[in-house]
């Protein structure tokens, strides 16, 4: 078996743990992951999130997912070799000023995100940590790539209990925020995150940004109204305590909050940000929404 | 044109039209979920029970053949142009050849008679009457336009007459079983992932052989089937002690078998492979996986912390980090659901599947077949009637006949289990919490000849 140096050469450091390298006149991005780190003091071997990330990435073949080419081990380090994305691909895509030059571009990128999420869900993969920082875009070619699958995991139907301490707080769905400890959640959690990203694309700021679970829920209910048994059957039993719900609030008119959106766009946004996960649109159906006509 | 006008009228009145119509509401909230209807799982009554052909003379064999010939001639005259199925009631559509074609109609109160003329001769007029008590139940495809909906199965005159002539000849003597929509109760449960369930299982079926280990025991000089069985028996015990998920157990065995298929392992390291495989599977599946030290203690310090970690890396590299694989378990949960089980059947199916996992001989069958055979063997053991049905056949993709060999194997394991030394699975499923299914007498499986009658 070839060693790392025999297989790859011309290493060029991009950041502390990321290198550009070459093999047979082809460029790759190499990410170094240390098995022994402060989180793994007991040294339980390869961390669970690396096992998940690699085995999931190995199975995926989609234009909008950063492709894992190779995995190599050397002592306590793992070397993950990904497809090379040139400088035109910029991470944290919503910080890219060119993103907002053309309204059609937002629609194109939203479509690509939803298409990718639908692809993952059809392969029993929950993304769980979808946020702008994990999305790279090439504005010139209008290609988007989702990276970093540290929080992804496969699911079986019916879904078992999974850790609820996942994902960036701003993009967490109400069903996850309501649940403390290990609870059940499913594919609608990822759709909620896409809805938050959609809102952020339009407003140029995070849709919800509360610093804690309770404050974030309050922000969500301020915009979308407090859920009731009618709009979210079983919500009172889920939240356990009415203190989480706060005083009842009426939903705001999304047309006033998002004046830049046409009726189709408002319909899609409202369906993605539906409080009840049962009624929330699936990624598969969202891709077919009339809002994307002509994309 | 007439039927189009009716569609427009119905839509104007707000009535539901299959493949379109108003968006339904749940509890006052628009259903944004817009679930894809499961096209292949329906409760459609079959053609023989839905329509009744009443010719004006008895159907003898020769008359049946004559009717069939006439219908085929008429179809040929119409340049084989097939009439698309209509979703609403209306006057019979007439094809180019002057033959009126029976249309699929939405249920309406009372029987509706449609006269279908085969040839312009009075003695060859056939009434097709929709039986009021056996109406077709059409699935409502919410918010899905006709363009997106799958093409409905068409009941042409030829197929109706063929069915009748077969019936007259005694070729078919029983109405086709209804297929149960096993996901109907989960439409409002997001945890069931109903929209994706078909895609997921299509994908599983597609890739199950890629990760299925080949026959390897002959290439292992120091390991035999008995040793593997001892290892699996011990791992099931460890799995129970740690209270791990069943996914973890099945993935552990999959990892072991795939590793042994690509790497020669000395006898003294077999348990080390098992421990490391369970460690990896736990990390992949569990929220709180056991730690390496737990495995060191469990193995009675037969292996060190470092040895376990080194083996973990070796296995991961050899398997190229591929752990996202369909095991028999992922199929088993679906197939058990298709069996519409009681608790006893569910326990028995899991028992059969774990017996299969313990025995190397089942490795010759793909994961979906092992899972389907476990359900079939469980039904045989519990004398469920019918032993196999159309719903199970649809979801598993296997007929009873195809499962017979593997099911016999599983039943054979059950019958010899009580006498052997490897009794962990037996103990596990003798527990009243598991319905004590292991102590039930093994199935008397049907002889091979009778299998086809039920499949």
């Amino acid at each position: 078996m070839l060693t790392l140096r025999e297989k790859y050469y011309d290493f060029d450091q991009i950041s502390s743990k990321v290198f550009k390298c070459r093999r047979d006149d082809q460029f790759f991005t190499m990410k170094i992951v240390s098995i022994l780190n402060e989180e793994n003091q007991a040294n339980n071997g390869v961390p669970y999130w690396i096992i998940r990330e690699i085995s999931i990435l190995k199975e995926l073949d989609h234009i909008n997912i950063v492709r894992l080419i190779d995995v190599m081990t050397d002592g306590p380090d793992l070397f993950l070799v990904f497809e090379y994305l040139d400088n035109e691909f910029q991470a944290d895509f919503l910080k890219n000023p060119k993103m907002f030059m053309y309204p059609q571009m937002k629609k194109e990128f939203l479509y690509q995100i939803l298409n990718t999420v639908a692809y993952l869900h059809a392969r029993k993969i929950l993304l769980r940590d979808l946020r702008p920082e994990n999305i790279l875009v090439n504005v010139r070619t209008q290609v988007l790539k989702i990276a970093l699958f540290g929080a992804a995991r496969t699911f079986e139907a019916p879904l078992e209990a999974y850790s609820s301490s996942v994902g960036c707080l701003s993009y967490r769905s109400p069903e996850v925020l309501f649940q403390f400890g290990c609870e059940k959640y499913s594919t609608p959690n990822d759709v909620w995150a896409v809805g938050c990203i959609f809102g952020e694309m339009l407003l140029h700021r995070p849709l919800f940004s509360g610093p804690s679970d309770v404050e974030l829920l309050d922000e969500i209910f301020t915009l979308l109204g407090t859920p009731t048994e009618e709009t979210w059957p079983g919500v009172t039993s889920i939240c356990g305590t009415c203190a989480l719900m706060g005083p009842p609030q009426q939903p705001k008119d999304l047309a006033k909050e998002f004046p830049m959106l046409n009726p189709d766009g408002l319909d899609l946004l409202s369906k993605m940000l539906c409080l009840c996960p049962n009624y929330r649109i699936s990624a598969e159906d969202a891709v077919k929404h009339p809002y994307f006509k002509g994309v | 044109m007439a039927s189009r006008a009716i569609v427009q009228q119905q839509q104007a009145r707000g009535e539901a039209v299959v493949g379109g119509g108003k968006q339904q509401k749940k509890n006052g909230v628009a259903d944004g979920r817009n679930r894809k209807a499961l096209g292949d799982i329906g409760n459609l009554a079959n053609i023989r029970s839905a329509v009744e052909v009443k010719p004006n003379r008895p159907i003898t064999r020769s008359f049946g053949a004559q009717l069939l010939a006439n219908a085929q001639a008429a179809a040929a005259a119409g340049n084989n142009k097939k009439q698309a199925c209509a979703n609403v009631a209306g006057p019979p559509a007439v094809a180019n050849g002057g033959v009126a074609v029976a249309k699929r109609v939405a249920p309406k109160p009372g029987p509706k008679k449609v006269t279908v003329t085969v040839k312009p001769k009075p003695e060859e007029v056939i009434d097709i009457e929709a039986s009021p008590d056996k109406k077709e139940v059409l699935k409502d495809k919410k918010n899905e336009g006709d363009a997106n909906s799958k093409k409905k199965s068409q009941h042409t005159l030829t197929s109706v007459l063929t069915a009748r002539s077969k019936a007259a000849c005694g070729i078919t003597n029983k109405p086709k079983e209804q297929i149960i929509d096993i996901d109907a109760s989960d439409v409002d449960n997001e945890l069931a992932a109903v929209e994706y369930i078909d895609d997921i299982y299509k994908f599983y079926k597609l890739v199950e052989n890629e990760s299925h280990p080949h026959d390897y025991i002959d290439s292992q000089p120091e390991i035999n089937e008995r040793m593997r069985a001892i290892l699996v028996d011990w791992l099931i015990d460890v799995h129970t002690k740690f209270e791990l998920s069943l996914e973890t157990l099945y993935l552990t065995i999959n990892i072991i078998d795939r590793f042994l298929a690509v790497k020669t392992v000395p006898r003294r390291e077999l348990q080390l492979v098992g421990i490391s495989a369970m460690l990896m599977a736990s990390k992949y599946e569990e929220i709180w996986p056991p730690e390496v030290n737990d495995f060191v203690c469990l193995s009675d310090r037969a292996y060190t912390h470092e040895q376990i970690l080194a083996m973990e890396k070796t296995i991961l590299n050899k398997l190229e980090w591929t752990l996202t694989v369909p095991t028999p378990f992922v199929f088993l949960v679906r197939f058990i659901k298709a069996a519409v089980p009681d608790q006893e059947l569910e326990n028995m199916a899991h028992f059969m599947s774990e017996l299969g996992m313990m025995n190397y001989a089942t490795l010759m069958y793909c994961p979906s077949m092992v899972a389907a055979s476990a359900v079939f063997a469980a039904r045989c053991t519990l004398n469920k009637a019918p032993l196999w049905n159309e719903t199970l056949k649809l979801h598993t993709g296997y007929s009873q006949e195809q499962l017979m060999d593997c099911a016999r194997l599983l039943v054979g394991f059950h019958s010899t289990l009580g006498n052997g030394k490897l009794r962990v699975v037996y103990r596990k499923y003798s527990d009243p919490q598991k319905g004590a299914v292991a102590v039930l007498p093994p199935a008397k499986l049907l002889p091979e000849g009778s299998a086809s009658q039920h499949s």
Side-chain angles (χ1 to χ4, degrees):
Chain A
M1 194 183 272
L2 291 171
T3 64
L4 182 73
R5 296 276 171 187
E6 287 168 336
K7 211 169 181 181
Y8 300 98
Y9 47 91
D10 288 355
F11 287 86
D12 190 4
Q13 194 159 9
I14 296 168
S15 67
S16 61
K17 295 275 183 182
V18 181
F19 291 81
K20 178 183 173 182
C21 62
R22 212 166 85 175
R23 185 180 85 204
D24 306 333
D25 296 327
Q26 215 178 341
F27 289 105
F28 299 96
T29 303
M30 188 176 282
K31 178 175 157 187
I32 302 173
V33 181
S34 181
I35 293 171
L36 279 170
N37 57 20
E38 59 281 0
E39 289 172 34
N40 195 12
Q41 285 166 342
N43 188 8
N44 279 303
V46 184
Y48 71 90
W49 65 268
I50 294 176
I51 286 180
R52 282 182 198 160
E53 176 170 356
I54 294 171
S55 59
I56 286 169
L57 279 170
K58 290 274 292 181
E59 300 307 303
L60 303 177
D61 182 17
H62 193 278
I63 190 167
N64 299 121
I65 296 170
V66 179
R67 201 154 67 90
L68 179 66
I69 309 291
D70 195 6
V71 183
M72 301 196 78
T73 51
D74 185 13
D77 291 327
L78 279 174
F79 298 87
L80 310 186
V81 182
F82 291 94
E83 65 173 304
Y84 178 66
L85 302 178
D86 59 34
N87 294 336
E88 287 192 85
F89 273 95
Q90 295 189 344
D92 203 353
F93 81 122
L94 291 181
K95 291 213 168 82
N96 189 331
K98 292 179 187 169
M99 255 299 297
F100 305 105
M101 283 164 63
Y102 311 104
Q104 187 64 18
M105 197 181 283
K106 294 176 194 174
K107 194 183 282 193
E108 175 63 47
F109 285 137
L110 179 66
Y111 180 83
Q112 288 182 43
I113 294 169
L114 280 167
N115 195 28
T116 313
V117 172
Y119 168 86
L120 291 167
H121 289 176
R123 272 154 185 72
K124 65 161 190 154
I125 293 161
L126 296 175
L127 203 44
R128 308 202 306 171
D129 191 22
L130 186 60
R131 49 197 162 115
E133 298 94 290
N134 295 348
I135 298 169
L136 303 100
V137 294
N138 183 332
V139 176
R140 185 179 57 81
T141 58
Q142 291 197 19
V143 173
L144 170 146
K145 300 264 185 187
I146 295 178
L148 273 181
F149 276 64
R153 67 163 296 143
T154 58
F155 65 82
E156 305 305 342
L159 276 87
E160 297 300 330
Y162 299 130
S163 167
S164 63
S165 58
V166 295
C168 181
L169 199 62
S170 300
Y171 305 94
R172 266 189 221 172
S173 61
E175 64 268 24
V176 171
L177 292 167
F178 266 146
Q179 297 163 347
F180 301 102
C182 299
E183 293 294 343
K184 295 186 177 187
Y185 58 90
S186 179
T187 52
N189 183 56
D190 290 338
V191 175
W192 176 273
V194 182
C196 293
I197 289 169
F198 186 17
E200 194 167 334
M201 277 179 176
L202 300 164
L203 300 176
H204 302 198
R205 61 170 173 78
L207 190 55
F208 308 114
S209 55
S212 70
D213 287 16
V214 176
E215 285 165 292
L216 195 63
L217 276 170
D218 185 56
E219 270 190 55
I220 291 168
F221 298 154
T222 301
L223 178 67
L224 303 169
T226 308
T228 63
E229 277 296 320
E230 197 177 48
T231 59
W232 184 349
V235 70
T236 45
S237 63
I238 292 170
C239 72
T241 166
C242 291
L244 271 175
M245 304 280 274
Q249 300 183 73
Q250 289 304 307
K252 287 185 178 173
D253 182 1
L254 289 183
K256 285 179 183 166
E257 299 296 316
F258 300 93
M260 68 294 285
L261 267 185
N262 64 16
D264 280 337
L266 287 167
D267 181 65
L268 178 61
L269 182 65
S270 67
K271 283 176 176 173
M272 286 164 79
L273 294 178
C274 178
L275 291 171
C276 176
N278 286 341
Y279 300 159
R280 201 172 299 148
I281 194 168
S282 69
E284 185 184 34
D285 289 331
V287 167
K288 298 171 192 163
H289 195 277
Y291 178 64
F292 294 115
K293 255 183 202 154
V295 170
Chain B
M1 266 322 284
S3 61
R4 192 178 299 156
I6 291 166
V7 173
Q8 284 162 352
Q9 285 166 24
Q10 282 199 333
Q11 282 173 323
R13 289 200 303 270
E15 289 173 20
V17 179
V18 177
K22 281 194 168 184
Q23 188 175 345
Q24 293 196 356
K25 294 198 174 193
K26 291 183 203 160
N27 302 315
V29 179
D31 177 18
R33 201 71 181 260
N34 194 7
R35 281 187 171 75
K36 183 175 74 178
L38 299 170
D40 56 344
I41 307 167
N43 48 3
L44 297 179
N46 83 309
I47 185 67
R48 280 199 311 284
S49 59
V51 295
E52 189 64 28
V53 178
K54 292 183 180 175
N56 55 1
R57 56 173 276 195
I59 299 183
T60 59
R61 199 170 291 202
S62 58
F63 180 53
Q66 185 195 333
L67 286 177
L68 195 56
N70 290 342
Q72 283 167 341
N79 294 325
N80 293 329
K81 282 188 180 175
K82 288 185 180 176
Q83 182 72 21
C85 293
N87 294 325
V88 288
V94 179
N96 290 0
V99 180
V101 181
K103 291 168 77 177
R104 183 168 175 171
V105 294
K108 292 256 176 174
K112 189 163 181 71
K113 260 193 184 181
V114 182
T115 304
V116 180
T117 314
V118 178
K119 254 190 176 180
K121 286 182 185 176
E123 73 267 24
E124 286 176 9
V125 172
I126 299 166
D127 288 342
I128 297 181
E129 188 182 82
S131 169
D133 56 334
K134 289 184 180 177
K135 289 172 190 160
E136 279 193 345
V137 184
L138 296 175
K139 274 198 144 183
D140 177 19
K141 285 196 169 192
K142 281 190 269 178
N143 299 341
E144 204 168 301
D146 286 329
N148 293 339
S149 62
K150 287 179 184 171
K151 198 173 181 184
K152 309 275 193 301
S153 59
Q154 294 171 321
H155 301 311
T156 60
L157 191 61
T158 308
S159 65
V160 173
L161 294 174
T162 306
R164 298 313 299 171
S165 61
K166 277 184 180 176
C169 300
I171 296 168
T172 53
N173 53 6
K174 57 174 184 175
K176 203 176 179 187
E177 283 176 57
Q178 276 199 339
I179 289 169
I180 299 160
D181 181 353
I182 64 170
D183 296 305
S185 59
D186 289 322
V187 158
D188 290 339
N189 175 14
E190 88 275 10
L191 296 173
V194 168
E195 311 94 322
Y196 297 104
I197 206 81
D198 280 349
D199 288 335
I200 288 168
Y201 280 92
K202 267 182 206 147
F203 177 64
Y204 282 152
K205 277 270 197 181
L206 201 69
V207 300
E208 67 171 325
N209 286 320
E210 290 173 19
S211 56
H212 183 55
H214 58 77
D215 190 359
Y216 62 79
I217 215 78
D218 293 337
S219 63
Q220 290 287 352
E222 292 187 35
I223 294 165
N224 58 31
E225 295 178 30
R226 172 87 182 148
M227 290 172 197
R228 180 193 175 277
I230 292 165
L231 174 68
V232 176
D233 188 67
W234 179 73
L235 286 171
I236 292 171
D237 204 19
V238 171
H239 169 268
T240 308
K241 283 194 175 82
F242 279 143
E243 296 179 355
L244 302 173
S245 67
L246 277 169
E247 289 102 314
T248 301
L249 177 62
Y250 280 84
L251 182 57
T252 301
I253 308 309
N254 176 280
I255 291 167
I256 292 166
D257 285 326
R258 281 193 294 140
F259 183 66
L260 293 177
V262 293
K263 180 99 163 68
T264 305
V265 174
R267 183 177 175 171
R268 68 178 182 279
E269 284 183 12
L270 184 60
Q271 193 183 6
L272 176 61
V273 169
I275 289 167
S276 303
M278 187 164 270
L279 173 68
M280 287 157 54
S282 300
K283 285 177 185 177
Y284 188 85
E285 294 288 1
E286 302 293 333
I287 297 169
W288 304 112
E291 295 193 347
V292 177
N293 286 336
D294 298 324
F295 286 107
V296 172
C297 295
L298 259 171
S299 67
D300 216 8
R301 306 202 175 271
Y303 306 104
T304 65
H305 191 284
E306 288 69 31
Q307 279 178 298
I308 293 171
L309 296 188
M311 182 56 80
E312 177 189 44
K313 252 193 219 179
T314 305
I315 296 172
L316 283 167
N317 285 326
K318 268 287 174 195
L319 300 186
E320 297 179 338
W321 296 73
T322 305
L323 302 186
T324 308
V325 293
T327 63
F329 179 80
V330 298
F331 292 106
L332 190 63
V333 287
R334 183 69 174 162
F335 299 168
I336 286 172
K337 189 179 182 182
V340 194
D342 48 38
Q343 197 55 54
E344 189 179 39
L345 178 61
E346 193 169 332
N347 287 329
M348 183 61 84
H350 279 290
F351 171 54
M352 288 292 174
S353 183
E354 285 180 44
L355 283 179
M357 185 199 296
M358 269 196 66
N359 290 274
Y360 180 80
T362 50
L363 217 61
M364 64 188 280
Y365 301 103
C366 63
S368 62
M369 183 168 271
V370 173
S373 301
V375 173
F376 176 53
R379 290 180 74 85
C380 291
T381 307
L382 299 172
N383 294 313
K384 296 286 181 187
L387 293 177
W388 206 242
N389 58 35
E390 288 300 314
T391 306
L392 281 161
K393 194 173 172 181
L394 173 77
H395 286 286
T396 63
Y398 299 112
S399 67
Q400 181 174 312
E401 208 164 28
Q402 288 171 295
L403 299 175
M404 204 54 97
D405 287 346
C406 186
R408 273 210 185 86
L409 207 58
L410 299 179
V411 170
F413 300 148
H414 184 191
S415 57
T416 57
L417 188 67
N419 323 322
K421 288 180 183 173
L422 307 177
R423 296 176 64 89
V424 170
V425 178
Y426 185 78
R427 273 204 313 274
K428 180 178 173 181
Y429 286 93
S430 297
D431 189 322
Q433 273 195 313
K434 298 273 186 192
V437 290
V439 301
L440 293 173
K444 302 276 185 287
L445 261 179
L446 302 169
E448 221 153 333
S450 63
S452 56
Q453 291 170 20
H454 300 272
S455 58

